[in-house]
Amino acid sequence: AMASSVQLHSEHDALVGRSSHFARAATLAAAPLVGEGATRRALDIHRSANRAKHSWGRSFAEEVDPFDLADPWASCRRTLPPGAGGSSAASAPRSTSTAASSEVAAGPFAAA
């Protein structure tokens, strides 16, 4: 289907004397010259070609991505319950301890 679509695209561009980015656009531009039946057949071929080009990955959608399995940071991910938004500094609990505040400000490796 893809090879037929490319061939028709080229033929239709040549018929109308201009280049179309999309095969369907080339077919529609050539429709007055090729007739209704040929236009419908060409559009069917382009539709099949588009399915072949753009739907091939769907059969693999249910498989586990090997990169997810080998992700060294996967255990560090925090999952939120459904409906919970992302965290923000404004909604995070704050410490009122002076010692904790100075450690955060100075960092855990700051000299005492």
Side-chain angles (χ1 to χ4, degrees):
M2 289 194 300
S4 297
S5 177
V6 171
Q7 181 63 37
L8 284 168
H9 187 168
S10 176
E11 290 172 9
H12 292 157
D13 277 349
L15 276 174
V16 296
R18 69 170 195 229
S19 182
S20 297
H21 183 77
F22 299 106
R24 293 177 61 82
T27 295
L28 293 173
L33 303 171
V34 298
E36 187 177 333
T39 298
R40 285 185 184 188
R41 283 189 298 278
L43 291 174
D44 287 342
I45 290 169
H46 297 319
R47 186 177 300 109
S48 294
N50 283 337
R51 278 193 212 110
K53 289 184 282 189
H54 300 292
S55 299
W56 63 270
R58 292 191 183 152
S59 62
F60 303 107
E62 299 301 319
E63 293 183 17
V64 176
D65 185 345
F67 289 107
D68 286 339
L69 291 175
D71 183 0
W73 302 107
S75 64
C76 299
R77 287 192 191 125
R78 186 181 81 165
T79 57
L80 297 173
S87 65
S88 68
S91 64
R94 294 184 177 182
S95 172
T96 56
S97 164
T98 306
S101 297
S102 63
E103 182 180 328
V104 170
F109 303 108

